[in-house]
């Protein structure tokens, strides 16, 4: 799990934020979706469903704080994606 967050830190093709991530998944541009385990269910439910339908790899981060930090931002993140 932690090595996946390391990949996120190194990635140049990173999209943070549920709205942008969902759009990228629908356009089949996503390699991996990261979801924070403590994100509100109503926020992540639709993106999780679309990702499963599109057969996108889903990685669950321990917390929104850790996901944000892994993305190199100073705020919490519910979701992030690495683009193809």
């Amino acid at each position: 799990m932690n090595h996946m967050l390391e990949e996120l830190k190194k990635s140049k093709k990173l999209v943070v934020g549920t709205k942008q991530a969902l759009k990228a998944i629908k356009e089949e541009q996503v390699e991996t979706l990261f979801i924070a385990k403590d994100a509100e269910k109503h926020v992540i439910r639709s993106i999780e469903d679309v990702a499963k339908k599109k057969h996108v790899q889903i990685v669950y981060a321990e917390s929104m704080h850790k996901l944000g930090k892994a993305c190199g931002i100073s705020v919490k993140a519910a979701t992030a994606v690495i683009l193809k």
Side-chain angles (χ1 to χ4, degrees):
M1 170 58 220
N2 281 346
H3 72 283
M4 289 304 294
L5 283 183
E6 287 300 317
E7 289 299 311
L8 191 57
K9 281 182 186 176
K10 289 185 236 165
S11 179
K12 302 286 181 262
K13 297 177 176 178
L14 177 65
V15 175
V16 183
T18 304
K19 199 184 296 180
Q20 296 90 326
L22 185 57
K23 182 174 182 267
I25 291 169
K26 286 179 178 175
E27 292 171 1
E28 299 186 4
Q29 299 173 336
V30 174
E31 190 176 288
T32 308
L33 166 64
F34 292 83
I35 297 176
K37 288 180 183 174
D38 62 344
E40 293 183 40
K41 293 294 172 228
H42 73 274
V43 172
I44 57 156
R45 189 178 298 122
S46 63
I47 194 168
E48 199 172 24
D49 289 345
V50 174
K52 286 176 182 172
K53 286 180 187 137
K54 298 278 187 183
H55 305 289
V56 170
Q57 177 187 16
I58 301 174
V59 175
Y60 293 91
E62 215 172 294
S63 68
M64 291 175 63
H65 177 75
K66 286 191 175 176
L67 184 55
K69 192 173 176 184
C71 294
I73 58 175
S74 59
V75 293
K76 295 177 180 178
T79 63
V81 295
I82 295 177
L83 301 177
K84 291 179 182 171

